[in-house]
Amino acid sequence: MQGADSELSDAVLAAQRGDETAFGRVFRALHPRLLGYVRTIVAGPDAEDVTAEAWLHISRDLGRFHGDADRFRGWTTRIARNRALDHLRAHGRRPVELADDTAFAELPAAADTAEEALAAVATDRAVALVGTLPREQAGAVMLRTMMGLDAKQAGVLLGCRPGAVRTAAHRGLRRLAKVLAETPEATSGPALPGARVPQMSSRHR
């Protein structure tokens, strides 16, 4: 993960200097995860439009970002979440709220197995697997496992306690562990459709 973080940090810095190739690397590194997360909030094909809008905001505000790869993932996820919530509000819908349950603070072996399995398959397939979960669980698993945020960071983003994030992630990973145990071929399902790299804002060229 450290090597990937270093590459992402370098790509972000280069993109901030106007390097469109570097911006493409940033996009390809994060887009599947961001789209997967947005799909836990916005249903149907609208998720792709919302994620595309989020990338426009990311490109526009890229010069204002300061921090490492970990902070960048949190920053981009926050932008994507805000765009998704704006979409829900525009359509008169409410986001899913997470319930807190400190009894699930520690993940059992089954959940660990699911997390290891997700890490072992391609990102698009892992996102597809997570997408089969109930929305609140999929969102928590995406933030914790796919985006790499800790429970506190995810809780701040979601506006809830870290325990609520741990609860939802725990339940989601347990579900995935059961699915993977019963149908190992689930890890070789269809890939998500590709996406076009958005153009950088002219201020960064």
Side-chain angles (χ1 to χ4, degrees):
M1 189 67 177
Q2 290 182 348
D5 281 355
S6 178
E7 291 178 5
L8 179 59
S9 295
D10 291 344
V12 169
L13 288 173
Q16 288 178 314
R17 295 193 293 267
D19 186 332
E20 292 193 6
T21 300
F23 184 76
R25 292 200 302 272
V26 172
F27 174 83
R28 284 186 289 273
L30 295 183
H31 178 73
R33 293 173 172 85
L34 283 181
L35 176 58
Y37 176 59
V38 170
R39 281 176 169 162
T40 69
I41 305 172
V42 177
D46 287 351
E48 294 187 12
D49 293 336
V50 169
T51 308
E53 183 182 352
W55 277 107
L56 291 177
H57 283 261
I58 291 167
S59 173
R60 183 195 67 190
D61 297 338
L62 188 60
R64 302 178 187 176
F65 172 76
H66 298 284
D68 58 11
D70 188 51
R71 290 179 63 85
F72 186 74
R73 282 191 291 267
W75 181 70
T76 54
T77 304
R78 183 176 295 107
I79 290 174
R81 178 175 174 79
N82 287 342
R83 300 287 72 76
L85 294 181
D86 286 345
H87 178 85
L88 291 184
R89 282 191 286 267
H91 290 78
R93 300 169 188 167
R94 294 174 58 86
V96 174
E97 295 184 0
L98 301 184
D100 199 352
D101 189 339
T102 55
F104 294 112
E106 297 298 328
L107 299 182
D112 292 340
T113 300
E115 190 166 355
E116 291 170 1
L118 289 176
V121 299
T123 299
D124 51 3
R125 303 193 196 288
V127 169
L129 280 172
V130 175
T132 65
L133 297 172
R135 285 195 176 185
E136 73 280 3
Q137 295 175 14
V141 172
M142 283 297 305
L143 291 178
R144 296 279 280 121
T145 303
M146 304 298 292
M147 298 305 300
L149 305 186
D150 61 30
K152 183 176 181 180
Q153 289 174 312
V156 170
L157 184 64
L158 297 172
C160 63
R161 293 182 179 182
V165 177
R166 286 192 291 266
T167 296
H170 162 87
R171 289 173 173 163
L173 287 171
R174 279 187 63 104
R175 279 175 177 257
L176 286 178
K178 184 177 181 181
V179 169
L180 292 169
E182 295 175 349
T183 56
E185 65 275 10
T187 58
S188 58
L192 295 178
R196 180 182 176 187
V197 178
Q199 294 296 312
M200 289 183 63
S201 173
S202 58
R203 72 179 66 186
H204 297 304
R205 294 179 181 174

